[in-house]
mmCIF file of all heavy atoms in Angstrom:
data_model
loop_
_atom_site.group_PDB
_atom_site.id
_atom_site.type_symbol
_atom_site.label_atom_id
_atom_site.label_comp_id
_atom_site.label_asym_id
_atom_site.label_seq_id
_atom_site.Cartn_x
_atom_site.Cartn_y
_atom_site.Cartn_z
ATOM 1 N N VAL W 4 2.991 -5.803 -20.802
ATOM 2 C CA VAL W 4 1.747 -5.487 -19.995
ATOM 3 C C VAL W 4 2.192 -4.853 -18.760
ATOM 4 O O VAL W 4 3.179 -5.283 -18.194
ATOM 5 C CB VAL W 4 0.907 -6.788 -19.784
ATOM 6 C CG1 VAL W 4 -0.233 -6.529 -18.982
ATOM 7 C CG2 VAL W 4 0.497 -7.363 -21.196
ATOM 8 N N TYR W 35 6.385 7.968 17.060
ATOM 9 C CA TYR W 35 5.730 7.949 15.687
ATOM 10 C C TYR W 35 6.625 8.518 14.615
ATOM 11 O O TYR W 35 6.869 7.791 13.565
ATOM 12 C CB TYR W 35 4.389 8.858 15.847
ATOM 13 C CG TYR W 35 3.523 8.234 16.833
ATOM 14 C CD1 TYR W 35 3.676 8.624 18.251
ATOM 15 C CD2 TYR W 35 2.679 7.228 16.506
ATOM 16 C CE1 TYR W 35 2.802 8.012 19.168
ATOM 17 C CE2 TYR W 35 1.881 6.618 17.451
ATOM 18 C CZ TYR W 35 1.971 7.021 18.716
ATOM 19 O OH TYR W 35 1.234 6.313 19.693
ATOM 20 N N ASP W 129 -3.823 -10.763 -11.949
ATOM 21 C CA ASP W 129 -4.957 -11.321 -12.699
ATOM 22 C C ASP W 129 -5.278 -10.594 -14.048
ATOM 23 O O ASP W 129 -5.484 -11.199 -15.016
ATOM 24 C CB ASP W 129 -6.315 -11.257 -11.872
ATOM 25 C CG ASP W 129 -6.260 -12.167 -10.698
ATOM 26 O OD1 ASP W 129 -5.443 -13.100 -10.695
ATOM 27 O OD2 ASP W 129 -7.053 -11.856 -9.725
ATOM 28 N N ALA W 144 -7.859 -3.250 -17.932
ATOM 29 C CA ALA W 144 -8.371 -3.551 -16.601
ATOM 30 C C ALA W 144 -8.315 -2.421 -15.711
ATOM 31 O O ALA W 144 -7.366 -1.697 -15.601
ATOM 32 C CB ALA W 144 -7.849 -4.865 -16.165
ATOM 33 N N ALA W 148 -7.389 -0.640 -5.402
ATOM 34 C CA ALA W 148 -7.125 -1.117 -3.991
ATOM 35 C C ALA W 148 -7.686 -0.165 -3.067
ATOM 36 O O ALA W 148 -7.303 1.007 -3.012
ATOM 37 C CB ALA W 148 -5.643 -1.291 -3.846
ATOM 38 N N GLU W 185 8.876 -12.804 -14.654
ATOM 39 C CA GLU W 185 9.381 -13.544 -13.422
ATOM 40 C C GLU W 185 8.836 -12.924 -12.147
ATOM 41 O O GLU W 185 8.693 -11.720 -12.010
ATOM 42 C CB GLU W 185 11.017 -13.311 -13.324
ATOM 43 C CG GLU W 185 11.776 -13.870 -14.396
ATOM 44 C CD GLU W 185 11.792 -12.924 -15.765
ATOM 45 O OE1 GLU W 185 11.409 -11.768 -15.488
ATOM 46 O OE2 GLU W 185 12.238 -13.354 -16.699
ATOM 47 N N TYR W 259 19.398 -5.780 1.809
ATOM 48 C CA TYR W 259 20.736 -5.289 1.401
ATOM 49 C C TYR W 259 21.752 -6.320 1.853
ATOM 50 O O TYR W 259 22.674 -6.664 1.154
ATOM 51 C CB TYR W 259 20.940 -3.949 2.130
ATOM 52 C CG TYR W 259 22.186 -3.301 1.685
ATOM 53 C CD1 TYR W 259 22.348 -2.434 0.525
ATOM 54 C CD2 TYR W 259 23.438 -3.313 2.420
ATOM 55 C CE1 TYR W 259 23.446 -1.805 0.047
ATOM 56 C CE2 TYR W 259 24.649 -2.715 1.997
ATOM 57 C CZ TYR W 259 24.617 -1.984 0.895
ATOM 58 O OH TYR W 259 25.737 -1.252 0.490
ATOM 59 N N PRO W 280 28.163 -13.302 9.264
ATOM 60 C CA PRO W 280 28.187 -14.630 9.952
ATOM 61 C C PRO W 280 27.569 -15.736 9.083
ATOM 62 O O PRO W 280 26.491 -15.510 8.393
ATOM 63 C CB PRO W 280 27.377 -14.394 11.193
ATOM 64 C CG PRO W 280 27.164 -12.938 11.320
ATOM 65 C CD PRO W 280 27.292 -12.390 9.925
ATOM 66 N N GLY W 289 21.456 -19.767 18.673
ATOM 67 C CA GLY W 289 21.464 -18.494 19.499
ATOM 68 C C GLY W 289 22.781 -17.673 19.192
ATOM 69 O O GLY W 289 22.639 -16.422 19.022
ATOM 70 N N ALA W 353 13.286 6.556 -17.584
ATOM 71 C CA ALA W 353 12.729 5.506 -18.607
ATOM 72 C C ALA W 353 13.782 4.402 -18.797
ATOM 73 O O ALA W 353 14.962 4.721 -18.974
ATOM 74 C CB ALA W 353 12.401 6.129 -19.920
ATOM 75 N N TRP W 379 6.285 7.804 -18.648
ATOM 76 C CA TRP W 379 6.000 7.779 -17.182
ATOM 77 C C TRP W 379 5.785 9.277 -16.635
ATOM 78 O O TRP W 379 4.997 9.448 -15.725
ATOM 79 C CB TRP W 379 7.091 7.040 -16.436
ATOM 80 C CG TRP W 379 8.444 7.842 -16.274
ATOM 81 C CD1 TRP W 379 9.307 7.890 -17.354
ATOM 82 C CD2 TRP W 379 8.919 8.577 -15.390
ATOM 83 N NE1 TRP W 379 10.417 8.713 -16.951
ATOM 84 C CE2 TRP W 379 10.192 9.247 -15.775
ATOM 85 C CE3 TRP W 379 8.349 9.052 -14.070
ATOM 86 C CZ2 TRP W 379 10.942 10.034 -14.796
ATOM 87 C CZ3 TRP W 379 9.122 9.895 -13.189
ATOM 88 C CH2 TRP W 379 10.323 10.304 -13.610
ATOM 89 N N ASP W 401 -10.723 14.534 20.348
ATOM 90 C CA ASP W 401 -12.140 14.316 20.494
ATOM 91 C C ASP W 401 -12.869 13.970 19.178
ATOM 92 O O ASP W 401 -13.723 13.050 19.133
ATOM 93 C CB ASP W 401 -12.799 15.583 21.032
ATOM 94 C CG ASP W 401 -13.384 15.418 22.352
ATOM 95 O OD1 ASP W 401 -12.955 14.640 23.157
ATOM 96 O OD2 ASP W 401 -14.265 16.267 22.680
ATOM 97 N N HIS W 410 -17.318 5.060 11.984
ATOM 98 C CA HIS W 410 -16.993 3.989 11.036
ATOM 99 C C HIS W 410 -16.913 2.668 11.665
ATOM 100 O O HIS W 410 -16.538 1.659 11.082
ATOM 101 C CB HIS W 410 -15.580 4.341 10.434
ATOM 102 C CG HIS W 410 -15.559 5.607 9.455
ATOM 103 N ND1 HIS W 410 -16.359 5.717 8.285
ATOM 104 C CD2 HIS W 410 -15.193 6.867 9.692
ATOM 105 C CE1 HIS W 410 -16.281 6.758 7.731
ATOM 106 N NE2 HIS W 410 -15.512 7.493 8.619
ATOM 107 N N TYR W 445 -25.449 5.476 -3.114
ATOM 108 C CA TYR W 445 -24.413 6.459 -3.332
ATOM 109 C C TYR W 445 -25.014 7.510 -4.380
ATOM 110 O O TYR W 445 -25.973 7.188 -5.107
ATOM 111 C CB TYR W 445 -23.111 5.819 -3.959
ATOM 112 C CG TYR W 445 -22.449 4.891 -2.909
ATOM 113 C CD1 TYR W 445 -22.854 3.538 -2.988
ATOM 114 C CD2 TYR W 445 -21.673 5.445 -2.050
ATOM 115 C CE1 TYR W 445 -22.299 2.717 -2.071
ATOM 116 C CE2 TYR W 445 -21.120 4.581 -1.126
ATOM 117 C CZ TYR W 445 -21.448 3.131 -1.100
ATOM 118 O OH TYR W 445 -20.890 2.310 -0.065
ATOM 119 N N VAL W 448 -22.025 14.231 -6.005
ATOM 120 C CA VAL W 448 -22.288 15.533 -5.751
ATOM 121 C C VAL W 448 -21.452 16.453 -6.754
ATOM 122 O O VAL W 448 -20.244 16.341 -6.906
ATOM 123 C CB VAL W 448 -21.754 15.929 -4.256
ATOM 124 C CG1 VAL W 448 -21.907 17.386 -3.934
ATOM 125 C CG2 VAL W 448 -22.479 15.051 -3.259
#
Side-chain angles (χ1 to χ4, degrees):
V4 174
Y35 298 89
D129 292 339
E185 297 82 11
Y259 190 83
W379 73 280
D401 243 27
H410 294 291
Y445 297 92
V448 174

